[in-house]
Amino acid sequence: MLPAIKKRVFRKFKQSEIKLHELNYLFWECTTRCNLNCLHCGSDCSKNSVFNNMPLADFLIALDTIKTPPENFIVVLTGGEPLLRKDLEICGREIRKRGMRWAMVSNGLLYDKEKHISLLNAGIGALTLSLDGLETSHNWLRNSGKSFKKVDFAIGLAVSSRRLNFDVVTCVNKRNLNELSQIRDYLILKGVKAWRLFTIAPIGRAKKNTDLFLSDYQFKELLDFISESRKQLAIDIKFSCEGFVGKYELKVRDNYFFCRAGINIGSILIDGSISACPNIDRSFSQGNIYTDNFYEIWQTKYDLFRDRSWTKIGKCEACNNFDDCQGNGLHFWQGEKNNVLVCFNEQLENASKSNKINVT
């Protein structure tokens, strides 16, 4: 199929998905406490969070408003660090009792053999662990001298279980960009089958730390690395779903960019707010489980997510790629929402221009 026809078909597919807005992923921000103090935390979590853990009973009341969940529906426990909850296995079992699957995103610091077995017994179906470089660069970003060894052990445990759908995510920055080939080989050697790479958004704790953000040319380097690595078929490597990347679209992921926040992805945040991906600005909240029926809100609200014509402002207003990008990932719209924080396609165009100048 020709690229132009593929794009038109995918646009129609997106319109169909938006109209249906089937809830497939529900993120539960079950805690904002964390046992690390990472430099790049978009949520600015800490061990002294101002919020208590959300009581399981409160979450279950909201979850029970979903009377007939789709077959591929899954609850993803996130935070903060979910492993700080002492009732994590109880949470998992209660979700499984309802015929629903559950997963977890973790930094791996507390993921030992005993916890691995107890979570499997509680029905965990999928796990994502964060690895952000080789030992020195990972520990730097995670702000902890012991983090790498802990997550290395956790990765070994995760790959040992065939029933666990497991992947590793890496936040790419200036310090680990040149290590990506070594990280890839390390993961392959460990037996990891899937690897997702992210950039770091200028939000939360990361906002003013310029060491964390790739230059335009470094961003192009990242996509070139992913593109070349995908040809080797040794590991399922993808650029994350965070944004539109122009001519790299089908080179770095399986399909065209589609921000599914509020379309297939919902969330219940620590204070009960109803939203989509947890990193999206809190002003996007659509209601609150303590005053609203969660599933009714999912079915009847979320206009900001499902009609993104409002993002056609600022640098997006005259963009020729707007139909395919629609303002990039919604976590790049913060505060007053008068301009997108990051435009990947613009970065790639700048990198190409810079390269031409250097060549001539």
Side-chain angles (χ1 to χ4, degrees):
M1 190 182 294
L2 294 173
I5 298 174
K6 273 188 176 181
K7 278 190 177 183
R8 286 199 296 270
V9 170
F10 193 74
R11 286 173 190 169
K12 288 184 178 179
F13 167 73
K14 284 203 298 185
Q15 291 169 1
S16 173
E17 288 287 282
I18 292 167
K19 185 176 180 180
L20 182 62
H21 53 261
E22 180 179 86
L23 180 62
N24 302 131
Y25 289 86
L26 177 61
F27 284 98
W28 177 25
E29 191 179 49
C30 63
T31 183
T32 49
R33 292 189 301 129
C34 190
N35 48 3
L36 289 176
N37 187 37
C38 302
L39 302 181
H40 66 307
C41 182
S43 302
D44 205 14
C45 297
S46 70
K47 62 182 179 181
N48 298 316
S49 172
V50 297
F51 293 103
N52 294 323
N53 293 348
M54 179 181 286
L56 172 60
D58 295 358
F59 174 71
L60 293 177
I61 290 171
L63 190 62
D64 286 341
T65 64
I66 309 171
K67 302 301 181 185
T68 53
E71 187 176 341
N72 60 347
F73 175 77
I74 189 166
V75 177
V76 183
L77 276 64
T78 185
E81 174 50 53
L83 288 174
L84 289 175
R85 285 191 69 119
K86 294 181 179 179
D87 64 345
L88 191 61
E89 288 84 354
I90 298 172
C91 296
R93 289 192 181 93
E94 286 297 328
I95 293 167
R96 291 296 297 139
K97 278 182 187 177
R98 288 155 172 79
M100 301 173 180
R101 297 178 299 145
W102 72 279
M104 181 179 68
V105 180
S106 173
N107 61 35
L109 206 63
L110 297 175
Y111 199 93
D112 57 19
K113 188 171 183 179
E114 182 181 0
K115 181 58 67 173
H116 176 65
I117 293 170
S118 68
L119 291 175
L120 287 173
N121 289 336
I124 190 172
L127 173 67
T128 294
L129 290 173
S130 296
L131 178 79
D132 295 309
L134 302 179
E135 187 163 8
T136 299
S137 54
H138 174 87
N139 287 345
W140 167 76
L141 191 66
R142 294 281 158 179
N143 220 358
S144 166
K146 59 184 179 180
S147 180
F148 180 85
K149 289 181 179 177
K150 293 288 187 177
V151 75
D152 171 71
F153 186 71
I155 289 170
L157 289 170
V159 298
S160 71
S161 177
R162 292 184 180 180
R163 59 176 264 202
L164 194 60
N165 186 1
F166 170 62
D167 72 344
V168 167
V169 296
T170 297
C171 290
V172 183
N173 57 78
K174 288 177 180 176
R175 294 208 185 189
N176 66 13
L177 179 65
N178 293 330
E179 299 176 350
L180 292 180
S181 295
Q182 293 167 275
I183 299 168
R184 178 195 60 206
D185 295 345
Y186 157 83
L187 292 175
I188 292 170
L189 189 63
K190 293 286 286 188
V192 175
K193 303 299 183 186
W195 184 27
R196 285 180 292 145
L197 289 91
F198 288 75
T199 59
I200 297 173
I203 59 177
R205 199 176 295 149
K207 192 172 184 178
K208 296 181 180 179
N209 190 339
T210 55
D211 283 344
L212 302 178
F213 310 126
L214 300 178
S215 69
D216 297 339
Y217 192 76
Q218 286 172 328
F219 179 64
K220 182 180 180 298
E221 279 188 81
L222 166 62
L223 297 190
D224 283 333
F225 166 78
I226 297 172
S227 177
E228 288 304 309
S229 296
R230 283 171 65 83
K231 294 175 185 177
Q232 298 173 22
L233 304 177
I235 188 171
D236 180 12
I237 177 175
K238 295 182 180 71
F239 183 57
S240 69
C241 60
E242 61 184 321
F244 175 76
V245 290
K247 66 181 182 180
Y248 283 91
E249 278 294 290
L250 297 183
K251 295 180 181 180
V252 297
R253 54 168 74 102
D254 295 339
N255 220 322
Y256 291 104
F257 166 67
F258 184 10
C259 179
R260 293 178 178 269
I263 296 165
N264 304 107
I265 300 172
S267 68
I268 294 174
L269 304 180
I270 192 66
D271 63 350
S273 295
I274 298 168
S275 189
C277 297
N279 269 348
I280 288 176
D281 193 270
R282 303 285 156 143
S283 64
F284 278 94
S285 296
Q286 299 294 292
N288 193 291
I289 64 167
Y290 293 110
T291 55
D292 302 301
N293 179 299
F294 167 75
Y295 200 58
E296 283 183 8
I297 294 292
W298 175 260
Q299 293 288 14
T300 62
K301 297 190 75 174
Y302 283 85
D303 293 342
L304 280 172
F305 296 86
R306 295 168 190 169
D307 178 2
R308 300 190 184 176
S309 58
W310 62 270
T311 63
K312 201 167 186 178
I313 56 175
K315 66 178 67 177
C316 297
E317 188 170 7
C319 181
N320 294 329
N321 294 301
F322 184 81
D323 288 344
D324 299 308
C325 178
Q326 293 189 309
N328 230 12
L330 286 189
H331 63 294
F332 290 126
W333 292 83
Q334 299 279 321
E336 298 298 320
K337 303 186 187 68
N338 54 14
N339 210 342
V340 65
L341 291 178
V342 176
C343 174
F344 291 137
N345 198 52
E346 181 181 57
Q347 285 188 275
L348 292 170
E349 288 176 353
N350 290 341
S352 296
K353 289 175 186 175
S354 175
N355 191 47
K356 287 178 183 178
I357 292 170
N358 291 334
V359 168
T360 56

